[in-house]
Amino acid sequence: MTTQKSAQQVTQLALFLVIGAIAPLLDTTMTNVALATIMKSLNVSVNAVQWITTSYVLALGITVPITGWAANWFDGKRLYLGALVVFLMGSLLSSWATTLPILIAGRIVQGIAAGAIVPLITTLIVQVAGGQALGKLMAVVGMPAVLIPILGPTIGGYLIQALNWHWIFIINIPLVLTALILLVWKLPAFPASHQGKHFDLPSLALLASLFTFAIISITRFSTGDRLQSANVLTPLLIAVISLLAYVIYAACRPQHALVSLQLFKSPTFDAAAVILMLSGIAVNGAMFLLPLYLQNTRGLSVVWSGTVLIAQGVGLLISRSQIGKLTDSIGARWVVLVAVVIAIAGTLPFVYFTAHTSIWWVLLALFIRGIGQGGLTIPVMADSYVGLPQNLIAEATTATRMLQNIGGAMGTAVLATIIQHEITRGSLNAAYQTAFLWSVGFILITAIPAWFLSHHSQRAHS
């Protein structure tokens, strides 16, 4: 009875924590649907509008390592509530925006807050759970990420059509205020362990430099600069130097580095890290791509494009609980490998779809893609913690979130680049078909590191 009660308490804590993530996740899905409308409203290009997404991811990625450190030294509840207040401020600024720079500034503030909110949920829950039943818990923690993609695009579409795109940020205000009141009342304190590493400025500077210059290089390439140009190669070189410098620094000062190299001694963590980056490209990149495809190629309104995307969310929702149970019972390897096949089956048809393809085929493909998407995220996130000691959990969260966010930013930039380049050569539909083909390629590559994830015999001995 004690174990059952403990498991029930952990699940309840997970549910309370995910309440705070509703506004950031809803905002992300609604922003993707609004990109085409914002492009027209502010009179900017696809490459310019991608900064609305990229700046958010960039700010989020730089904040993640700070959150990994802060989780060990400050009360988790106060950190979480503080991040929600910052997100509220970012939403207010975004809702007032009348130019692209102001909107990007608001998105940066929102990204800073999300860089604390999302990792804190995982870190606090894994610490409380003690590493048990992580597949099931990741399914609970990720529930908003399932339900909100079902509701977000449609809600965003109606807000944009009935009012204007500013309302996708205004709607966050009552949501965040409600979450703050509920969490102040119901969420217990998460006392700091004071057992982690002290804040290390060189670590943060090197990680921030790596993340920032990698994204700048990608986005400059996506805005038309040639790969061999100094505008692209210079920030890319700085990113590579930052990575090498961090590895040397972490090897020489292991007690200070914010992300320990010990994490990468685990084959399952290494595999999970690579897959999270690749799936970030395939999944997040496609989330940027799909609303634009539905609106620009098929001519759907923002409301209808959001409604059509419900099919993907339904597929994700149906598969989610079973994926969590399967991961806990047989490990992540076979779950992810099957998910790769399903995700390809749901994405490949878009390479051949035209503006005249029946909408029913589009809905079926999105539904199948949703099932595969769940299998590329839940098992991998759970597997990244398998066999890790308690003191490395926060650092594991930092590393996995950074890689996932770099992958997401890369996916957005790469697919935007492909569309922009292909449009100059042929039709708009052909440009999107090529972008979807690249997305299929990224999904296919994830099968290689998936082989190194945990499986049943390993779980039995862990």
Side-chain angles (χ1 to χ4, degrees):
M1 289 298 290
T2 306
T3 305
Q4 183 63 38
K5 184 179 179 182
S6 175
Q8 186 178 356
Q9 287 175 339
V10 171
T11 304
Q12 287 175 346
L13 284 175
L15 288 170
F16 280 129
L17 284 166
V18 299
I19 288 170
I22 291 175
L25 288 169
L26 187 64
D27 181 83
T28 301
T29 56
M30 290 193 299
T31 302
N32 283 335
V33 171
L35 289 176
T37 304
I38 295 171
M39 279 172 58
K40 295 173 185 175
S41 173
L42 301 181
N43 193 27
V44 294
S45 67
V46 172
N47 284 323
V49 84
Q50 76 158 342
W51 275 102
I52 296 171
T53 302
T54 303
S55 62
Y56 177 89
V57 173
L58 185 57
L60 189 152
I62 293 171
T63 310
V64 165
I66 301 174
T67 306
W69 158 77
N72 288 324
W73 292 95
F74 297 94
D75 181 84
K77 179 176 180 177
R78 292 182 180 179
L79 281 175
Y80 197 67
L81 295 177
L84 278 173
V85 171
V86 174
F87 187 83
L88 180 63
M89 294 166 61
S91 298
L92 284 168
L93 181 57
S94 298
S95 69
W96 294 333
T98 53
T99 64
L100 187 62
I102 295 174
L103 180 55
I104 289 173
R107 293 289 287 162
I108 288 171
V109 177
Q110 286 184 311
I112 290 169
I117 291 168
V118 178
L120 271 174
I121 293 174
T122 309
T123 299
L124 296 175
I125 288 302
V126 173
Q127 285 177 349
V128 171
Q132 299 301 311
L134 289 179
K136 178 184 175 184
L137 283 172
M138 290 303 160
V140 173
V141 169
M143 190 56 71
V146 182
L147 296 176
I148 289 169
I150 297 175
L151 302 174
T154 307
I155 294 170
Y158 277 111
L159 287 172
I160 294 162
Q161 185 164 296
L163 300 162
N164 55 59
W165 63 263
H166 296 273
W167 278 85
I168 65 173
F169 301 109
I170 295 172
I171 193 68
N172 290 333
I173 298 168
L175 289 174
V176 174
L177 289 174
T178 303
L180 282 169
I181 293 168
L182 184 61
L183 291 171
V184 167
W185 176 37
K186 285 287 187 181
L187 192 66
F190 288 86
S193 64
H194 297 288
Q195 294 179 348
K197 296 172 181 176
H198 290 280
F199 182 70
D200 187 62
L201 188 57
S203 287
L204 179 62
L206 289 170
L207 289 172
S209 175
L210 162 63
F211 192 84
T212 302
F213 285 102
I215 300 302
I216 288 172
S217 176
I218 294 163
T219 50
R220 281 185 178 174
F221 176 63
S222 75
T223 54
D225 287 317
R226 292 172 177 256
L227 185 60
Q228 64 269 32
S229 72
N231 280 343
V232 175
L233 287 179
T234 302
L236 181 60
L237 181 62
I238 296 171
V240 171
I241 292 171
S242 299
L243 173 61
L244 294 174
Y246 183 83
V247 170
I248 294 169
Y249 180 82
C252 295
R253 304 193 71 183
Q255 300 305 315
H256 294 82
L258 288 175
V259 177
S260 174
L261 297 182
Q262 286 185 332
L263 289 169
F264 298 94
K265 292 181 179 179
S266 166
T268 54
F269 180 86
D270 292 344
V274 173
I275 293 172
L276 284 172
M277 188 166 178
L278 290 171
S279 66
I281 298 172
V283 175
N284 292 20
M287 289 306 291
F288 166 82
L289 183 65
L290 283 166
L292 291 175
Y293 163 75
L294 292 170
Q295 292 173 47
N296 295 338
T297 299
R298 300 192 64 91
L300 297 180
S301 67
V302 285
V303 174
W304 273 109
S305 64
T307 304
V308 167
L309 286 172
I310 288 175
Q312 184 171 256
V314 171
L316 194 53
L317 179 62
I318 288 173
S319 65
R320 194 165 195 90
S321 61
Q322 295 305 314
I323 288 171
K325 291 175 185 176
L326 283 170
T327 303
D328 287 333
S329 61
I330 66 172
R333 177 192 292 178
W334 297 110
V335 179
V336 174
L337 286 172
V338 171
V340 166
V341 175
I342 296 171
I344 290 173
T347 307
L348 191 59
F350 285 94
V351 177
Y352 302 99
F353 285 166
T354 68
H356 306 292
T357 302
S358 170
I359 195 66
W360 294 106
W361 286 114
V362 175
L363 289 169
L364 179 61
L366 285 169
F367 175 74
I368 294 170
R369 193 177 185 283
I371 294 173
Q373 184 179 326
L376 288 174
T377 51
I378 302 167
V380 182
M381 285 301 295
D383 225 45
S384 62
Y385 297 100
V386 170
L388 290 182
Q390 188 81 4
N391 65 315
L392 288 180
I393 288 173
E395 294 178 48
T397 303
T398 298
T400 53
R401 291 295 179 187
M402 282 192 70
L403 289 166
Q404 195 173 26
N405 291 326
I406 289 173
M410 284 179 63
T412 300
V414 167
L415 294 179
T417 303
I418 291 164
I419 294 169
Q420 200 69 29
H421 286 183
E422 291 296 320
I423 284 173
T424 59
R425 298 180 184 179
S427 68
L428 185 63
N429 189 71
Y432 280 101
Q433 287 176 330
T434 304
F436 280 116
L437 184 60
W438 275 78
S439 184
V440 169
F442 285 122
I443 297 170
L444 184 61
I445 294 170
T446 60
I448 299 170
W451 186 256
F452 298 94
L453 294 172
S454 68
H455 51 89
H456 181 69
S457 60
Q458 288 177 323
R459 287 293 178 96
H461 292 93
S462 62

